[in-house]
Amino acid sequence: MAKKVAVLAVNPVNGFGLFQYLEAFFENHISYKVYAVAETKEIKTNSGITLLTDDVISNLKGHEDEYDALVFACGDAIPVFKDNADKQYNLDLMEVIKTFGNKGKLMIGHCAAAMMFDFTGITNGKKIAVHPLAKPDYTKWNSYR
């Protein structure tokens, strides 16, 4: 069976990280679909380059079983999420992450992905990896829980 990956791209996304994932999938013949964590398919990279994704996060809900893995392409996820946590696309993001995690799917990400996964509660009892520079913030955040 061919593998298929759902890629979540926040707005703004770290273009370098996103394109490394997409290039690896392309080179290894892994099917993927990029979902914007936004109201529209048009997002920007941290450097301001406009990208058009395949779809939006709201359309991934209910289709998690069509994918073998979830990739979280970070960018300015935490500060942007903090300021927009009540937006429907971020509520959809949390629901999709939780669904993938509860189904035991492979979940990958960079930068603050582990923190986003942890926000949903799916990391309880599991080991996660965080960037060394993020570890103090992650540890501090976890002490408040």
Side-chain angles (χ1 to χ4, degrees), residues 3-122:
K3 300 294 181 191
K4 190 171 181 184
V5 178
V7 180
L8 305 181
V10 298
N11 187 25
V13 68
N14 176 316
F16 182 71
L18 173 63
F19 290 120
Q20 283 186 319
Y21 292 128
L22 301 184
E23 184 175 1
F25 298 150
F26 178 79
E27 289 177 352
N28 291 286
H29 309 287
I30 297 170
S31 179
Y32 64 88
K33 189 169 183 179
V34 180
Y35 291 88
V37 180
E39 294 170 340
T40 70
K41 296 191 298 183
E42 186 175 293
I43 62 172
K44 292 192 179 288
T45 66
N46 287 359
S47 57
I49 297 169
T50 300
L51 302 175
L52 187 61
T53 63
D54 297 311
D55 211 336
V56 293
I57 186 81
S58 63
N59 293 329
L60 177 55
K61 288 179 11 181
H63 297 277
E64 294 87 353
D65 286 334
E66 297 173 19
Y67 296 92
D68 301 293
L70 177 79
V71 169
F72 186 86
C74 205
D76 290 336
I78 298 302
V80 172
F81 180 81
K82 180 184 71 137
D83 295 338
N84 298 284
D86 62 339
K87 301 280 179 151
Q88 188 59 50
Y89 56 85
N90 277 325
L91 298 174
D92 292 341
L93 168 67
M94 294 290 102
E95 186 178 330
V96 164
I97 289 173
K98 190 167 191 159
T99 300
F100 269 84
N102 288 339
K103 289 179 177 283
K105 304 265 185 167
L106 179 63
M107 297 178 66
I108 304 158
H110 64 273
C111 194
M115 293 174 81
M116 298 301 286
F117 296 163
D118 196 49
F119 289 162
T120 68
I122 62 168

